[in-house]
Amino acid sequence: MSEPSTPARLPRRLTVVLGLVVVIAFGSWFYGYGVLVQPIVSEEGWSEATLTTTYGLGMLASGVGAVLSGRLIDGRGPRPVFLGAGGATAVGTLVTVTATSPAVFAVAAVLTQAAVGSAGYYTAVHATIARLAPRDRTRAITVNTLWGAFASPVFLPLMALTSQAWGWRGTLAAAGAAVVAVMLLAGLVVPRPADEAPARLGLIRGLSRAVADPTVRRLLVTAACGGIACSVLFLYQVPAMVTAGLALATASTLAGLRGLFQLAGRLPLAWLLARLPAGPLFRGSLVLVGLSTLLLLASGEIAIAVVFAVAAGVAVGMFTTLESVYTAEVVDLRVVGLALGAYATARGVGSAIGPSAAGLLTEATGSRLVALLLAAAVAVVGALSVPRPRTAPGATMEA
């Protein structure tokens, strides 16, 4: 992308639209699904393991879809990604909310989450930002994650309230409609990049070259570990607090505050990154995710639940921002979509393993203790796997 043809800053209208995309996409399926687990179990009698495995497979499918979305953004721009995701979400939501068997629900929910996640989560949105405003990408990506911090404070209590009034089907239908609307809006207003990079690496060749690079391999291990730890935390933050003794409304509100406190982890990042290397910040944020997960074990005490909301919010806020920033630093800008997609796939693998294993362990032991302990340990492993920065950023995955 040539310097003169790209804006110095991402235009305000795109900042707003892409901000709404991440708020609604994350709020509806990434965070909100966990609120509906207990209502679905109670109303339908389906097993918790089935629902958690569905969530995990949906995260995995989102990661795979993110590779394809990222490659499409590299080659043709973001518009077809958003428009396609909007149509797929509409169909998937309709099938999901009318499902009468767990098998139909699971298949439809996985495909719907894949559509939402491949276009609405940070991979595609941050690849879009990096392509449209490469000189502004660190600031613009950070600002976008500030928008994303409002996803759980808005959607967790909202979905808890609507599930009591409309049931899980009505709640999921409304969430799906919101996703469709914002995807179509993004597809209409987000432009095609003015000067597109030549797509000289094919999908398979590009992924192969990424995996062959030792630095990228370590980054993908971090992604998988982060996916395990964060997905278990997000999925069980409300159920764990309820089991520990808090009311559903209280637990949902505190989990929402956890999302709001992500702002405390993101607001100082631009200042910190101007003064400190990104690597130690990245490692520290993932360690704090693990420590926060342990706090859920004692979250029946309101004071501990509040500490969890603050600590987990700061940790997730930093980690989910630094994922995109750090990855963009070590890859060639011309294939940033593919690189972020590869990272998202590895994270998706972890996000599939985490909830599935957690659900099985919980059913086998009758407690969430083992699942939460293992999630915390995996977070520390992920922090230890973060590669050291290169002496010359951008040397990876040359086109």
Side-chain angles (χ1 to χ4, degrees), residues 54 60 91 93 193 199 219 251 351 375:
T54 297
L60 175 60
V91 175
T93 298
L219 194 62
S351 297

Side-chain angles (χ1 to χ4, degrees), residues 21 69 75 94 112 127 132 144 158 204 221 224 236 240 268 285 351 369 379 386:
V21 167
S69 295
L94 178 62
T112 305
L132 295 177
N144 183 259
L158 182 62
I204 302 302
V221 172
Y236 275 162
S285 66
S351 297
L369 172 64
V386 172

Side-chain angles (χ1 to χ4, degrees), residues 59-60 63-64 66-67 216-228 323 339-353:
M59 292 297 296
L60 175 60
V64 174
V67 176
V216 175
R217 282 204 303 269
R218 292 193 63 173
L219 194 62
L220 297 182
V221 172
T222 298
C225 291
I228 291 172
E323 286 180 304
L340 287 170
Y343 184 97
T345 299
R347 203 181 197 281
V349 170
S351 297
I353 294 171

Side-chain angles (χ1 to χ4, degrees), residues 58 143 174 205 248 251 298 359 377:
V143 169
R205 185 182 173 197
L248 175 62

Side-chain angles (χ1 to χ4, degrees), residues 131-150:
R131 288 299 314 281
L132 295 177
R135 290 177 289 166
D136 188 37
R137 68 175 183 267
T138 297
R139 185 204 67 84
I141 286 172
T142 302
V143 169
N144 183 259
T145 62
L146 294 178
W147 280 80
F150 289 97

Side-chain angles (χ1 to χ4, degrees), residues 99-270:
T100 56
S101 73
V104 174
F105 171 88
V107 172
V110 167
L111 295 177
T112 305
Q113 189 175 359
V116 175
S118 63
Y121 295 169
Y122 287 143
T123 298
V125 174
H126 291 175
T128 298
I129 290 171
R131 288 299 314 281
L132 295 177
R135 290 177 289 166
D136 188 37
R137 68 175 183 267
T138 297
R139 185 204 67 84
I141 286 172
T142 302
V143 169
N144 183 259
T145 62
L146 294 178
W147 280 80
F150 289 97
S152 56
V154 172
F155 274 83
L156 282 172
L158 182 62
M159 292 183 75
L161 289 173
T162 55
S163 68
Q164 294 173 352
W166 302 343
W168 71 266
R169 295 178 189 273
T171 299
L172 205 52
V179 172
V180 172
V182 79
M183 291 294 182
L184 295 180
L185 175 63
L188 291 174
V189 305
V190 175
R192 185 184 177 97
D195 184 14
E196 294 187 42
R200 288 185 283 170
L201 279 180
L203 177 61
I204 302 302
R205 185 182 173 197
L207 288 175
S208 298
R209 185 171 295 186
V211 173
D213 186 287
T215 297
V216 175
R217 282 204 303 269
R218 292 193 63 173
L219 194 62
L220 297 182
V221 172
T222 298
C225 291
I228 291 172
C230 289
S231 63
V232 172
L233 186 151
F234 295 150
L235 184 66
Y236 275 162
Q237 59 184 343
V238 173
M241 285 190 278
V242 171
T243 299
L246 298 184
L248 175 62
T250 303
S252 297
T253 299
L254 286 170
L257 287 175
R258 194 271 315 151
L260 188 61
F261 278 112
Q262 289 178 194
L263 290 169
R266 290 168 179 168
L267 282 171
L269 269 183

Side-chain angles (χ1 to χ4, degrees), residues 248-316:
L248 175 62
T250 303
S252 297
T253 299
L254 286 170
L257 287 175
R258 194 271 315 151
L260 188 61
F261 278 112
Q262 289 178 194
L263 290 169
R266 290 168 179 168
L267 282 171
L269 269 183
W271 183 87
L272 288 172
L273 288 169
R275 292 161 177 80
L276 297 172
L281 293 173
F282 198 17
R283 293 186 191 95
S285 66
L286 195 46
V287 169
L288 188 55
V289 168
L291 294 175
S292 302
T293 303
L294 296 178
L295 290 174
L296 284 172
L297 297 171
S299 59
E301 296 290 334
I302 191 70
I304 295 177
V306 171
V307 172
F308 160 77
V310 175
V314 171
V316 173

